[in-house]
Amino acid sequence: MGNRLLSFLVASVAFGGLAEAKTVIHVMHQGDPGWVSTYGEVAKRFEAANPDVDIELIYAPHDAYNEKFSAAVMSKQLPDVMELDAPFLANYVWSGYLQPIKPLIDQDVIDDMTESNVAQGTYPIDKELYAVGLTDSSVVLYGNRKYLEAIGARIPKSVDDAWTREEFEGYLEKLSNLDGVKWPIDTFRGYGIKTEWITYAYGPILQSAGCDLIDRKTWKSVGTLDSDPCVDALTMMQKWVKNGWVVPQSSGTNQFFAEGHPAALALGGHWFYAEAAASMKDDIVVMPLPKFGQKSASPNGTWIWGITTASEHPDIAGKFVSFMLKDKAFRDYAKEDSAYPGLKSFAAGSPLYADGGAMAVAFEQASKTAIARPPHPAYPIITSAFMGAVDEIFNGGDVKAALTAAAEKIDEDIEENDGYPPFDEQ
């Protein structure tokens, strides 16, 4: 695309400038090789349909995306279109990087969005929509049917039937003594602390236990993140690690459906299903996240598409995003990847998530238990402080001290930014 643009410009000069240069739309994205290839094919189809436009894709590695975006900001080279992780939206809008997207996207796409998709792309201050996506996300508890039947475990069928904390910990202990099981559960510690995994997947355990990363009315973390329910929840998880029940970080990002199936359970994302089902066959069981306190909780939010304030051609950028979200081959690839529906028409074509589908319980969580990560401009410091604390705790650190230090770090950032007005008036 970029090379084709260069060739075009050279040709224009050679023929005395008879042709005008194309409009170039820069699109910054992340994703595994399959998604990168898919984006490239969508760009080619859009260019074929719009011969006066060139799409230049800019790849940034998933675990270094925010650093690359910051570098683009510093060098004043923001793309026209950017993929962004939903919980960072408030920070980007507050910083002035994104523009309202609703006037730029085809109305039928806007009308097609699920309620949670609208929520993940909406800025809480002005209630405007700043990003759209084909998908949303969730985390479920996967189980190996063979192992669960061997210990006589109850297998939940819906969110309302989720395991209690007592059941869950009792099963972990039984599984730790079962032949063939090396680790009772894989919580994907292998993702490390450079992605959103810890905050995304473990945050709902705190919310289910009765606390949160920050108070969402006062926007203070001290007294919330280091409260007794949060200390108790992280002490519980530290015990799982100390007992050897959790797959260690050094063992990589999947031991649930790896050869020999050494992990009996997995706290895994919806994107995990396709590979797991291919390996596990009829032994795979999909269950709701356990209920660790008075209520159930699950995560939502994923990578969605926004248009930056730096774009000189926002109308064409919006035309590309609309084209991509409707593209059949793009949707087919997403469906094969067990993508979680964020558009109603995509959900209708995804039997995996329909009633009776293998991942129906994941879609049930979206309407019953999903809690978004804190929609505040301080989110980057909130998530980095929390992930650092969890890492320290899992490596044997004092739970209360680690959570208090993280909470103080979050509050200091908010105070240093005068409460991130107008969030200080909420």
Side-chain angles (χ1 to χ4, degrees):
M1 288 159 280
N3 290 336
R4 291 202 300 279
L5 172 62
L6 180 61
S7 300
F8 178 87
L9 292 172
V10 170
S12 296
V13 172
F15 286 98
L18 294 177
E20 294 183 0
K22 294 183 179 181
T23 298
V24 180
I25 298 297
H26 298 89
V27 179
M28 185 171 172
H29 68 96
Q30 52 86 58
D32 63 28
W35 279 107
V36 172
S37 176
T38 301
Y39 295 148
E41 294 303 315
V42 171
K44 288 179 183 176
R45 288 191 285 275
F46 182 80
E47 289 172 337
N50 300 273
D52 56 339
V53 179
D54 226 341
I55 301 296
E56 185 168 309
L57 296 173
I58 306 167
Y59 172 72
H62 180 85
D63 58 1
Y65 194 86
N66 288 330
E67 288 85 348
K68 186 153 186 174
F69 178 73
S70 296
V73 171
M74 295 297 290
S75 61
K76 298 183 179 179
Q77 292 184 326
L78 282 177
D80 298 272
V81 178
M82 67 172 292
E83 196 177 14
L84 65 135
D85 205 356
F88 287 79
L89 183 136
N91 179 272
Y92 291 161
V93 176
W94 185 84
S95 300
Y97 302 144
L98 295 177
Q99 60 178 295
I101 200 170
K102 200 170 180 179
L104 307 173
I105 299 297
D106 291 353
Q107 188 60 44
D108 57 343
V109 173
I110 300 296
D111 294 341
D112 200 22
M113 296 176 73
T114 63
E115 188 175 336
S116 64
N117 195 5
V118 171
Q120 69 176 337
T122 299
Y123 185 54
I125 294 296
D126 60 14
K127 314 298 183 190
E128 290 274 6
L129 187 71
Y130 284 84
V132 300
L134 178 67
T135 61
D136 200 336
S137 72
S138 193
V139 168
V140 295
L141 183 66
Y142 294 95
N144 184 314
R145 186 186 304 277
K146 180 178 63 178
Y147 295 144
L148 294 179
E149 289 180 350
I151 64 168
R154 182 177 67 86
I155 299 179
K157 303 294 184 186
S158 76
V159 169
D160 301 330
D161 199 27
W163 285 345
T164 64
R165 171 175 172 172
E166 290 72 24
E167 284 181 294
F168 179 63
E169 291 202 288
Y171 294 146
L172 290 179
E173 184 166 13
K174 286 183 178 180
L175 288 166
S176 71
N177 296 315
L178 187 67
D179 287 344
V181 175
K182 188 173 182 178
W183 299 285
I185 188 167
D186 192 348
T187 62
F188 293 86
R189 292 187 61 198
Y191 286 147
I193 60 173
K194 288 188 175 181
T195 70
E196 265 290 287
W197 178 250
I198 287 178
T199 304
Y200 171 68
Y202 302 172
I205 294 177
L206 303 188
Q207 291 145 5
S208 178
C211 57
D212 208 338
L213 283 75
I214 190 169
D215 186 302
R216 302 193 186 209
K217 292 182 179 176
T218 65
W219 296 115
K220 300 286 186 185
S221 186
V222 172
T224 298
L225 181 55
D226 58 350
S227 64
D228 289 345
C230 275
V231 171
D232 179 58
L234 265 301
T235 301
M236 170 188 71
M237 296 186 76
Q238 187 184 58
K239 180 187 73 176
W240 302 345
V241 175
K242 285 181 176 176
N243 287 351
W245 293 348
V246 177
V247 174
Q249 188 170 355
S250 59
S251 293
T253 55
N254 165 48
Q255 292 298 324
F256 177 67
F257 62 84
E259 185 176 357
H261 304 158
L265 299 168
L267 189 75
H270 69 272
W271 56 88
F272 184 75
Y273 177 78
E275 282 187 279
S279 172
M280 308 281 293
K281 309 298 182 191
D282 291 338
D283 275 341
I284 190 169
V285 175
V286 181
M287 300 175 285
L289 293 181
K291 190 176 177 182
F292 292 99
Q294 295 300 311
K295 65 177 184 181
S296 293
S298 62
N300 73 337
T302 190
W303 288 81
I304 48 184
W305 301 93
I307 296 174
T308 74
T309 50
S311 177
E312 295 180 358
H313 308 285
D315 53 335
I316 300 176
K319 188 176 180 180
F320 171 70
V321 174
S322 297
F323 179 92
M324 177 171 58
L325 298 182
K326 296 178 184 179
D327 184 84
K328 183 179 183 305
F330 177 79
R331 290 186 173 206
D332 286 345
Y333 180 79
K335 191 162 65 175
E336 290 174 8
D337 200 44
S338 63
Y340 193 95
L343 295 182
K344 297 167 192 170
S345 60
F346 183 53
S350 303
L352 193 63
Y353 294 94
D355 287 345
M359 291 289 284
V361 74
F363 210 47
E364 183 188 4
Q365 287 186 154
S367 60
K368 292 185 176 180
T369 63
I371 299 176
R373 284 160 279 179
H376 191 277
Y379 184 78
I381 193 70
I382 294 172
T383 185
S384 67
F386 177 63
M387 289 194 292
V390 172
D391 190 53
E392 183 180 336
I393 290 166
F394 281 5
N395 285 300
D398 182 84
V399 176
K400 175 72 174 181
L403 292 179
T404 296
E408 289 176 348
K409 190 174 182 180
I410 293 166
D411 285 357
E412 286 171 6
D413 176 81
I414 293 175
E415 288 172 12
E416 287 172 359
N417 287 281
D418 299 323
Y420 288 94
F423 279 83
D424 59 333
E425 299 171 0
Q426 282 191 302

